[in-house]
């Protein structure tokens, strides 16, 4: 039995954007609408991560990453920048999961035909869902995995930034100014007032919220009253 109510942006993470009554503002880019929502219901899609063919429980795997990573996010929010190796690994796993989910956030209804080779040698026609695609993508060499960047050896800082939003595209990857440069910085909003910066510093004046909005495929989340409705049309950002 799959998980009926799957959060595409982790519930424990977006809690920091909830003010009263555990309410946040949400923009659903796919449906081009903005609305207030409880964190319990925000970014929920029914059975979103259920594999149709593969056997691994993806929702359970994500839940374990969230259980270990969320306390590290809370620690960083409170100013605890001195992390253990295990805490850094947990945070990198959380960021990688968030990045992975965000790549396919607008493809929740994905169905792809496939041929499955069974153990007895029989070939069977099947239909892959989003959960299967997410699982298969983890072994594709062209799909970037954050642990391969060596982020645990980069400099980690938490910057005070007022009015941050978040979304399924909140993990931002930055290169240097040279053409075809390798990634040198990863940023992620920890809360409406704290930004995690891993790697080199960014220049002043970067429109962080616009970058997060334009990088998000379906969901943008913010403190009640903070979102721009024109972000609902991602092509205009």
């Amino acid at each position: 039995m799959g998980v009926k109510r799957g959060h595409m942006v982790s519930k424990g993470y977006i809690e920091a954007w909830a003010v009263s009554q555990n309410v946040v503002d949400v923009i659903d880019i796919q449906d081009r609408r903005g609305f207030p929502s409880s964190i319990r219901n925000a970014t929920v899609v029914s059975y979103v991560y259920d594999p149709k063919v593969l056997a691994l429980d993806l929702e359970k795997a994500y839940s374990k990453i969230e259980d270990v990573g969320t306390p590290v996010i809370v620690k960083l929010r409170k100013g605890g920048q001195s992390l253990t190796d295990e805490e850094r690994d947990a945070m990198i796993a959380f960021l990688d999961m968030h990045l992975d989910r965000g790549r396919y956030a607008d493809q929740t209804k994905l169905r792809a035909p496939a041929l499955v080779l069974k153990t007895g040698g029989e070939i069977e026609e099947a239909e892959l869902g989003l959960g299967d695609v997410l699982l298969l993508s983890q072994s594709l060499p062209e799909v970037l995995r954050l642990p391969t960047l060596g982020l645990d050896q980069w400099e980690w800082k938490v910057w005070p930034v007022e009015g941050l939003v978040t979304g399924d595209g909140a993990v931002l990857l930055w290169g240097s100014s040279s053409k075809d440069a390798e990634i040198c910085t990863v940023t992620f909003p920890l809360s409406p007032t704290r930004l995690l910066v891993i790697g080199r510093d960014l220049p002043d004046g970067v429109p962080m919220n616009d970058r997060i909005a334009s990088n998000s495929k379906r969901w943008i989340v913010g403190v009640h009253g903070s979102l721009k409705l024109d972000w609902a049309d991602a092509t205009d950002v």
Side-chain angles (χ1 to χ4, degrees), residues 144-156:
L144 174 68
R145 315 305 312 189
L146 290 185
T148 66
L149 296 179
L151 300 185
D152 57 323
Q153 301 300 315
W154 294 12
E155 185 178 2
W156 290 46

Side-chain angles (χ1 to χ4, degrees), residues 110-154:
L110 176 69
R111 297 293 182 271
L115 295 176
V116 177
L117 178 62
K118 306 188 80 172
T119 53
E122 181 182 351
I123 296 178
E124 183 179 281
E125 291 187 358
E127 189 177 63
L128 303 178
L130 177 58
D132 299 296
V133 172
L134 279 162
L135 286 168
L136 290 171
S137 73
Q138 293 178 5
S139 60
L140 296 176
E142 65 269 24
V143 177
L144 174 68
R145 315 305 312 189
L146 290 185
T148 66
L149 296 179
L151 300 185
D152 57 323
Q153 301 300 315
W154 294 12

Side-chain angles (χ1 to χ4, degrees), residues 197-227:
V197 180
I198 305 175
R200 299 181 189 173
D201 288 348
L202 296 176
D204 294 335
V206 173
M208 192 62 62
N209 283 347
D210 286 346
R211 294 289 181 92
I212 291 169
S214 64
N215 196 49
S216 295
K217 299 291 184 66
R218 180 168 184 185
W219 303 106
I220 304 170
V221 178
V223 173
H224 185 54
S226 68
L227 300 185

Side-chain angles (χ1 to χ4, degrees), residues 13-77:
Y13 162 64
I14 62 173
E15 201 169 31
W17 279 262
V19 282
S20 61
Q21 308 296 319
N22 284 329
V23 170
V24 293
D25 273 1
V26 177
I27 286 178
D28 184 337
I29 298 169
Q30 184 170 284
D31 291 344
R32 300 187 67 179
R33 65 192 183 103
F35 52 93
S37 173
S38 70
I39 59 172
R40 182 174 179 272
N41 296 321
T43 79
V44 166
V45 178
S46 296
Y47 301 108
V48 63
Y49 299 121
D50 280 4
K52 306 299 180 186
V53 176
L54 302 177
L56 182 65
D57 189 337
L58 187 59
E59 185 67 47
K60 184 176 181 180
Y62 283 162
S63 180
K64 288 182 178 179
I65 292 172
E66 290 171 336
D67 287 347
V68 180
T70 302
V72 183
I73 293 176
V74 172
K75 179 177 179 178
L76 288 167
R77 284 174 186 157

